[in-house]
Amino acid sequence: MGVFRLNALRTIDESPWTRHWEHLVPLPKAARARLKAQKLPTPVPVKDRIKQWNIVPGDRIRIRGEGGTLREVFGVNKFRNLVYFKARQQQETASQEVPTQPKVPYSKCQLYIGDREFPPLAGETKSLVVPVFATRIVCTAPKYAINLGRFDWERYAVQTTPRVAEQGEKIKIHIPWPKPPVPAIPSIEPCDTPADAANEITWRPSYLFYPPSNSSKAKHLQDSYLHSIRPPPLSVPALEYNQETFPAIEYMLGDELSNPHSRTKKQHRYKGRIKARHLAHKRFLEAELAILDGRTRKEALVEAEWKWTELRRKEEKDRKQKQWVLRGGAARIQRRRLRQERKERKVVEKMQALVLDPAPNQILPGSQASTIE
């Protein structure tokens, strides 16, 4: 069980959008044991969990059996089918305080869809405006919106209380999704930059001499800039570099001074490699199909693909070998080999320099014994 799913069991989902179906995945046995050990509330069985939630944070609901009191949904727990709503304002005395996060089951909620005007009752002339709640909701099939990164569907009320249609007449009232709150624009403080100062143009590049029309003009600009920061010897005539009319040298060296490891340049180089690889693949197939040598075109194409795959595998192997050498792999193995040879040489030298003192029960080799005698 992932950390995300454990957190989802403990916390409240305050987002009105469904970005995944994680709540429909059964919990492993180890996760259930962990929840039981931590004395956390266990989720409802998978078959009882709700897939498409039509009551989301931001909606207004009422609880069955509490009359027409409207409550705003604060969050939901999709693993336990619970709806959390904002607490009503606290009473004057502390003994009458309402819990901060009241919750009710999803099945006890009725979605508020607006106020409707009904005909006046018998004996009255004034029409009635009462709140209408959905007792049955249907929805369309979910579709994943790639640009938004979530699943979207539409919800409709087909049964309401009180009824908004005549007996036997079918209704289908579209229920819009709650709109997210618009973030407030912070007020301007003394430390903030005024809009006119932020929009002011403080640098205007000069295109009079850049880009140079020829190599001689570019060489003249480079030499004049270098002579302006480092005076040349007396034998070399100095070139005048006017800061007002000539562009800044950093502007000329934009490509050289820019970061070569930026994301844009990496992507540009990657696309260039992919394009070159596709072009080489196309040319390789064309060259192979040009000479069939008694093969059919299909057989030649299959063989060409195999040759290209083997060629790419060999190139990838050579590339990894080169990277391994550049990272110091070959030098590391060479150092290890030299160290091992040095250890073996020291052992041989130590054995050659070994001298035994005369003692009883010692037998010297024949050559050494004759030398000693």
Side-chain angles (χ1 to χ4, degrees):
M1 179 180 181
V3 177
F4 170 78
R5 212 176 303 161
L6 273 178
N7 293 336
L9 286 171
R10 300 190 186 104
T11 59
I12 303 173
D13 187 4
E14 301 179 12
S15 174
W17 314 118
T18 300
R19 303 188 182 277
H20 49 76
W21 308 114
E22 190 81 17
H23 61 284
L24 300 178
V25 180
L27 301 182
K29 184 177 179 180
R32 294 196 298 269
R34 182 177 177 183
L35 292 176
K36 185 176 180 180
Q38 296 180 3
K39 297 181 180 181
L40 293 174
T42 57
V44 298
V46 178
K47 63 183 181 63
D48 296 333
R49 298 179 197 172
I50 303 169
K51 179 181 179 180
Q52 296 177 239
W53 278 67
N54 292 316
I55 296 179
V56 296
D59 287 330
R60 290 194 292 174
I61 64 170
R62 77 169 181 180
I63 304 175
R64 295 177 184 269
E66 287 194 3
T69 304
L70 292 178
R71 301 174 183 270
E72 184 177 353
V73 178
F74 170 73
V76 296
N77 191 321
K78 298 181 180 180
F79 286 87
R80 299 174 58 200
N81 292 351
L82 293 179
V83 177
Y84 294 80
F85 45 86
K86 294 182 179 180
R88 287 172 289 183
Q89 294 182 354
Q90 297 181 353
Q91 305 295 331
E92 297 179 358
T93 60
S95 60
Q96 298 179 350
E97 290 183 356
V98 181
T100 56
Q101 291 181 350
K103 58 182 181 294
V104 294
Y106 182 89
S107 58
K108 293 187 63 177
C109 300
Q110 290 184 344
L111 184 60
Y112 171 74
I113 61 177
D115 294 336
R116 295 299 179 93
E117 185 177 353
F118 289 87
L121 300 176
E124 297 184 2
T125 59
K126 188 176 181 181
S127 58
L128 299 177
V129 178
V130 296
V132 179
F133 299 90
T135 57
R136 184 183 175 191
I137 301 176
V138 297
C139 56
T140 59
K143 294 182 179 180
Y144 188 76
I146 299 179
N147 57 335
L148 300 177
R150 65 175 189 243
F151 290 92
D152 280 342
W153 64 86
E154 299 297 334
R155 53 182 181 174
Y156 300 90
V158 295
Q159 290 184 8
T160 61
T161 176
R163 292 184 59 86
V164 297
E166 298 295 336
Q167 188 68 24
E169 183 181 352
K170 294 184 179 180
I171 61 171
K172 193 175 183 180
I173 304 174
H174 179 260
I175 307 175
W177 295 103
K179 296 181 180 180
V182 180
I185 300 177
S187 59
I188 299 178
E189 298 181 358
C191 294
D192 295 335
T193 304
D196 53 350
N199 297 329
E200 183 182 0
I201 299 176
T202 57
W203 181 71
R204 294 178 175 84
S206 173
Y207 298 99
L208 182 62
F209 297 97
Y210 186 84
S213 56
N214 50 53
S215 58
S216 61
K217 184 177 291 187
K219 184 70 167 54
H220 174 77
L221 286 175
Q222 296 170 7
D223 293 342
S224 60
Y225 175 76
L226 293 176
H227 292 175
S228 66
I229 60 176
R230 187 179 58 186
L234 297 178
S235 58
V236 179
L239 301 176
E240 183 181 358
Y241 182 81
N242 191 349
Q243 296 283 352
E244 297 181 357
T245 58
F246 280 32
I249 195 64
E250 292 82 1
Y251 183 63
M252 302 180 187
L253 302 176
D255 295 338
E256 290 80 356
L257 298 178
S258 60
N259 179 20
H261 306 292
S262 63
R263 182 184 179 278
T264 303
K265 292 193 175 182
K266 285 183 177 180
Q267 186 181 30
H268 182 71
R269 293 194 295 267
Y270 170 76
K271 289 184 177 180
R273 291 195 301 268
I274 296 298
K275 186 177 180 180
R277 186 184 306 170
H278 289 172
L279 183 60
H281 183 211
K282 182 179 178 181
R283 292 177 177 175
F284 185 86
L285 296 181
E286 291 176 353
E288 192 71 20
L289 293 176
I291 306 175
L292 295 179
D293 290 338
R295 303 170 297 176
T296 62
R297 187 176 179 86
K298 184 177 180 180
E299 293 174 348
L301 184 61
V302 172
E303 187 175 352
E305 288 289 352
W306 179 82
K307 289 182 179 179
W308 174 258
T309 304
E310 292 298 321
L311 180 62
R312 288 287 305 140
R313 185 180 291 111
K314 183 178 181 302
E315 291 178 353
E316 184 68 15
K317 184 177 180 180
D318 295 343
R319 185 186 65 83
K320 290 184 178 180
Q321 176 71 14
K322 186 182 295 184
Q323 288 184 351
W324 176 75
V325 173
L326 292 177
R327 286 197 303 265
R332 183 167 58 252
I333 290 182
Q334 181 66 16
R335 289 195 303 269
R336 192 177 300 169
R337 185 182 296 111
L338 293 177
R339 186 166 59 249
Q340 185 67 21
E341 292 176 357
R342 187 169 60 251
K343 288 183 179 180
E344 295 175 357
R345 187 171 61 253
K346 286 184 177 180
V347 171
V348 173
E349 293 175 355
K350 185 176 181 181
M351 293 299 297
Q352 292 177 351
L354 179 64
V355 177
L356 296 177
D357 297 332
N361 300 328
Q362 287 185 354
I363 298 177
L364 299 179
S367 60
Q368 295 187 12
S370 59
T371 304
I372 293 176
E373 292 176 357

